[in-house]
Amino acid sequence: MMNDLNPGDLGRRAEAMLEELAAISAEPDRLVRLFLSPEHRRAADLVAQWMREIGLDVFEDEIGNVRGRIGKPPYLVLGSHIDTVIDAGRYDGPLGVVAPILAVDTLQRMKQLPPIGLELVAFGDEEGSRFHSTLPSSAALAGHFDPRHLTITDRDGVSFADALRAYGKNPDKIPEGAIPPGDAAGYVEVHIEQGPVLETEDQPLGVVSAIVGQTRLQMTITGESGHAGTVPMNLRRDALAGAAEMTLLAEQIARDFSSDHMVATVGQIEARPGAANIVPGVVRFTLDLRTASDAARSTAIERFEHEARAIAERRHLGFAVDPIHRIATTPADQALQDQLASAALAVGAKPLKLASGAGHDGLMMSKLCPIAMLFVRCKAGVSHNPAEYASPQDMGFAIAALVRFIEQFKPSASR
Ligand SMILES: [Zn+2]
């Protein structure tokens, strides 16, 4: 029955499609495809064309998700995102859009398409690169779109709502695109691992046990700016020196929680007034802290806030902390994990179980239906970088496993 499944062939087809998508960029020398941009339009049109070619009923909702359906609800929803970070690789997102297209095409050709409803989706905004938004596209599909997103502005001052209108959408109608509860049987996403575990373990595929929770905070440290030549060290209230100490504190805390695989990152810092000859008076920086244990995460955050405040007091600095977001750990559905694992085994891969340290659309989709993810080995664990790479053979294994998974899909009984 599955004799005509050829991972090498499927992988080469995926690679060709990913190359076509990767050519759609706002810049000639690097891949930049932002939400609701002209490049988003072109990529969405290409994906819609591919979906039509395999016989799906294709439409776009009012937040710009490309959606292709076959059969009746409840739908098994399969997809990923087509937006990118700035200077992106070509696999993060698009692989999860292309894989189900090739899987459904394969099932059609084999005349093995099971009598279940399928919805393939290409989300428009997962990375949040344009609006610093949090998964608005999948939130809309899951019926949990937060209208406060509409007022966020991009670097050029264009609001989310105006960008949608310019894209030909009606922001007021976003809720109408949601899949009604009960009409989604599950959400499954194929994605590159974005980490080195599969490569280290020499396995092409992984089944995700959970998407780790994360807390993101923004700190504002207030000191006093002054002349870099005339203010003596003992009279300084240097906001940047304080922030530096807090950054090292965050690093130490994550190391202390190594058994929870905690990671902490200060990835954004801004010192004002920002001149070489002025003591920094105000510093803003972010902390992003993730781990699969929600309890460990909140303990770590409490400790950070407590000790950072002590640093600020000792240095006579003001300290304010604003939560940007807190996302609980999202477990993947056990029955879907088991089905993905046996599908992977059936095509000759020995799937590893691993947690996802990156956030994904599954976070939002889990509010609607059971979710699961299939990870594909990527070179050196590199992502969000032009050096991102997954081999055609590994992608082919993932697509072949997806074929098997769809063919044998049984809705989870857990909801
Ligand atoms: Zn992604």
Side-chain angles (χ1 to χ4, degrees):
M1 162 173 76
M2 302 297 289
N3 293 344
D4 31 1
L5 266 188
N6 180 337
D9 192 44
L10 289 167
R12 276 187 295 276
R13 288 177 68 194
E15 192 178 50
M17 291 164 83
L18 292 174
E19 195 175 327
E20 246 187 285
L21 270 174
I24 304 174
S25 172
E27 298 180 22
D29 299 326
R30 54 179 193 169
L31 178 51
V32 181
R33 199 165 53 236
L34 299 183
F35 181 46
L36 304 177
S37 63
E39 296 71 44
H40 181 196
R41 176 77 274 152
R42 285 166 58 204
D45 289 346
L46 180 58
V47 169
Q49 177 199 323
W50 287 335
M51 287 183 179
R52 264 184 234 106
E53 282 167 6
I54 60 163
L56 304 186
D57 287 327
V58 181
F59 63 102
E60 246 182 46
D61 59 24
E62 296 298 325
I63 198 162
N65 294 322
V66 183
R67 300 163 64 178
R69 286 176 172 170
I70 191 162
K72 287 187 167 46
Y75 299 106
L76 169 60
V77 183
L78 303 162
S80 192
H81 59 98
I82 53 173
D83 65 318
T84 72
V85 294
I86 290 162
D87 201 11
R90 60 175 59 175
Y91 302 88
D92 175 354
L95 173 57
V97 172
V98 161
I101 292 173
L102 288 171
V104 171
D105 182 45
T106 303
L107 285 161
Q108 307 255 48
R109 285 167 196 260
M110 297 191 310
K111 309 220 181 308
Q112 294 287 347
L113 197 66
I116 56 167
L118 294 171
E119 176 166 331
L120 274 52
V121 57
F123 293 116
D125 182 13
E126 192 272 346
E127 302 288 6
S129 302
R130 179 168 177 188
F131 290 103
H132 296 288
S133 40
T134 310
L135 307 174
S137 301
S138 46
L141 195 70
H144 287 267
F145 178 73
D146 182 345
R148 280 176 297 184
H149 269 97
L150 295 171
T151 58
I152 308 176
T153 52
D154 69 7
R155 273 168 197 267
D156 301 324
V158 179
S159 75
F160 195 106
D162 285 341
L164 274 170
R165 285 187 202 100
Y167 198 74
K169 301 297 174 186
N170 181 348
D172 299 333
K173 290 190 172 173
I174 288 173
E176 293 173 20
I179 301 181
D183 276 7
Y187 172 74
V188 172
E189 178 167 352
V190 176
H191 204 282
I192 56 165
E193 182 201 344
Q194 302 180 274
V197 177
L198 290 172
E199 190 174 70
T200 307
E201 300 292 329
D202 197 23
Q203 292 299 331
L205 301 180
V207 173
V208 171
S209 56
I211 302 173
V212 305
Q214 52 174 290
T215 300
R216 200 172 293 170
L217 305 175
Q218 167 136 312
M219 270 59 63
T220 306
I221 313 301
T222 318
E224 193 169 22
S225 58
H227 195 294
T230 61
V231 184
M233 296 311 285
N234 64 335
L235 294 182
R236 290 190 183 198
R237 293 167 57 218
D238 184 330
L240 185 55
E245 206 177 321
M246 293 171 201
T247 302
L248 295 178
L249 167 67
E251 185 184 53
Q252 186 56 50
I253 290 174
R255 286 191 174 153
D256 291 347
F257 282 86
S258 62
S259 59
D260 293 295
H261 303 285
M262 184 178 289
V263 287
T265 306
V266 173
Q268 229 177 21
I269 188 161
E270 185 192 23
R272 293 209 178 146
N277 60 354
I278 304 178
V279 177
V282 178
V283 168
R284 286 199 178 81
F285 71 98
T286 55
L287 170 65
D288 177 306
L289 190 140
R290 309 185 194 199
T291 174
S293 159
D294 287 339
R297 189 164 48 89
S298 56
T299 306
I301 288 293
E302 269 172 39
R303 182 178 149 198
F304 175 77
E305 290 192 22
H306 181 75
E307 294 183 22
R309 207 172 289 282
I311 292 169
E313 276 167 23
R314 177 162 44 79
R315 290 175 167 273
H316 306 290
L317 300 168
F319 176 79
V321 51
D322 293 306
I324 300 175
H325 65 240
R326 273 194 185 92
I327 300 172
T329 294
T330 302
D333 181 76
Q334 191 57 52
L336 289 180
Q337 286 184 58
D338 294 346
Q339 292 180 51
L340 276 178
S342 63
L345 273 175
V347 299
K350 198 180 113 221
L352 283 185
K353 189 174 182 166
L354 69 180
S356 171
H360 293 286
D361 287 307
L363 290 172
M364 286 299 170
M365 293 302 287
S366 71
K367 296 172 191 267
L368 175 71
C369 62
I371 66 134
M373 293 187 76
L374 185 65
F375 271 178
V376 181
R377 167 168 54 190
C378 60
K379 195 174 174 189
V382 169
S383 71
H384 287 188
N385 185 304
E388 192 177 286
Y389 178 76
S391 75
Q393 185 69 25
D394 288 355
M395 293 192 288
F397 271 125
I399 297 161
L402 194 58
V403 169
R404 253 276 145 98
F405 171 79
I406 296 169
E407 196 179 42
Q408 306 191 340
F409 174 69
K410 286 179 197 66
S412 169
S414 68
R415 297 205 188 188

